[in-house]
Amino acid sequence: MIKSKKNLVLIFSVLFSFASYSQQQSFNESPVLQNIESREKISLNGLWQVIIDPLENGYYNHRWLPREEGFFTNKKMEKPSDLVEYNFDTDYQLTVPGDWNSQMEKLYYYEGTVWYKRSFDYKEKEGKNTFLYFEAANYEAQVYLNGEKIGSHIGGYTPFQFDVTGKLKEKDNFLIVKVDNKRKREAIPTINTDWWNYGGITRSVHLVSTPKNYIQDYSVQLSKESSRSIEGWVKLSNSSSNDDVQINIKELKVNTNVKAKNGIAYFKVKAKPSLWSPNNPKLYTVNINTKYDKISDEIGFRTIKTEGSKILLNGEPIFLKGISIHEEAPFNSGRVTTKEECLVLLNWAKELGCNFIRLAHYPHSETMVKEAEKMGFLIWSEIPVYWTVLFDNPDTYKNAENQLTEMISRDKNRAAIVLWSVANETPESTSRNNFLSSLTKRVKALDSTRLITAALDTQKGNGKNERLIEDPLGEFVDVIGINSYCGWYGGSPESCADWEWANHYDKPMIMSEVGAGALQGLHGDVNERWTEEYQDAVYKYNIEMMKNIDFLAGVSPWILMDFKSHRRHLRRIQNDFNRKGLISEKGIPKKAFYTLQKFYNEK
Ligand code: GCB
């Protein structure tokens, strides 16, 4: 009950200060270290000892109760009469980073627990913090240091870290990670996907050293309102710090000092950067310094927005000539683990004539994003909210929101990323609409400078050739992604040219998937499935169709290279590969590659 006018004023002012505070709170409350590349660190990559444990009996006893002396204790036989039924040191080895499925034949189909162990010496520096940083592990990681649990992480494609300051010895530390990639109905992604469930510590692991008071997070970008100023914030680890923060961009003659208030320093400075674009992927060295810490990053500046059905980059309409890419290694299969592999994929996309890539269906490595940015690709980045996840389960939502937050937190300073996608081909229902609209709100709260999208496959056909986009999610996104497989999952290739699209929303549409399967080197009649000729025909007729869509702002056909999938059983043709690549897994282009290339060159 409000007793007086004074109280009412007080309540309003408290509410108001919450509102304005939360508007400024675009940073993530507990982010991992930013731009790990530029931090002082040592690598824990290389060969790790592993134990394959399908029954998880390194964790549970025969009563299915957690064991006190699980594998994480790394127990050793001390005298001949001892019974210890495991030994990391005489067991298998796997390379980190890397998935286990493609490293060991017996793990090809494996889904379950593998224990990883790595020993190391480390001399902690006086007055420094030490973080154990994982770029990614799929899917659930339980992490133990010297026998003690230090934390866990869920989600296969985003980084996580643990503060291990004071926990390391100079000699013989042992780090044990239980990695479990069992699919679960309530997980993100759920049990049913069209890509290989590669398990393991799939990206690099580092021990990172920072000062005690370190720069925890930052955002530096062009102001939304004006391309003549750069703004952002720097968050310090000491949340009560009022220290000076210096932001320096030498090439732009920017050198500004701001005072942090409660650990956060906001800034806005005048500057006239040469704007980042596919034709001018200009990055500036940004240095952030405090009394205790310094970090530098290569940052590009650009604006991205929509106007009716157009996407405007730096105020000019741009057509996104794209291609979808899975994080699958060229030539070897398995997960991409090196910069060279990223560059092979990106150079193929360049050769195709692309200015845009859809990094499907989960956040790709930071290396992939950074290399793509240097090459001038605009990027669509997404989380694996894919197909029929449990939309009415609050924990599933929390998991999705966390993966979204971790993706945005890692990549918010990448000018190349213009689209955050919250979902792919999700079936319409009230709980799905609520789930996804909440995710779009979360994106806006974290990053209001980029466009939000989702790939939809719900189109209604009024007449035979009509396709109407009226998915309620259209309300919440800025750009509508449409996955459409005319000529493959429905309709003959020739029928596609007659399809007519209508849009309920005055928003741009990207055809986020379109394509057909072909076994590279298989030739035949244009009506014969799996031939390069059939795939090529699907591309030709779909291109005709796309030329007639006046609200089409881009396209990212499915997909650059053939990729492994548990759903693709047809022996002699698929052999566990989704064959919709424009290039085979061995790096050989199919006919349709040149058809799309021609379309892009003429566009
Ligand atoms: C889709 C999915 C994609 C699949 C593709 C296919 O719509 O979004 O993940 O791989 O179709 O090949 O069926």
Side-chain angles (χ1 to χ4, degrees), residues 182-217:
K182 268 196 297 301
R183 286 167 299 125
K184 291 183 185 154
R185 182 70 187 94
E186 70 279 13
I188 299 289
T190 181
I191 40 178
N192 191 21
T193 64
D194 188 20
W195 70 87
W196 208 262
N197 181 22
Y198 289 116
I201 305 181
T202 49
R203 297 189 190 145
S204 297
V205 185
H206 315 276
L207 269 176
V208 190
S209 173
T210 73
K212 285 274 173 241
N213 291 325
Y214 61 96
I215 296 164
Q216 199 177 42
D217 198 3

Side-chain angles (χ1 to χ4, degrees), residues 193-195 326 358 361 386-387 424-425 455 457 483 485 488-489 513 558 563 565 567-568 578 580:
T193 64
D194 188 20
W195 70 87
H326 257 297
R358 175 183 178 200
H361 278 301
Y386 181 92
W387 289 353
N424 180 76
E425 291 187 359
D457 67 346
N483 294 354
Y485 281 92
W488 187 254
Y489 291 127
E513 287 179 31
W558 196 251
F563 62 97
S565 164
R567 299 172 65 83
R568 307 299 171 177
N578 182 316
K580 295 190 190 71

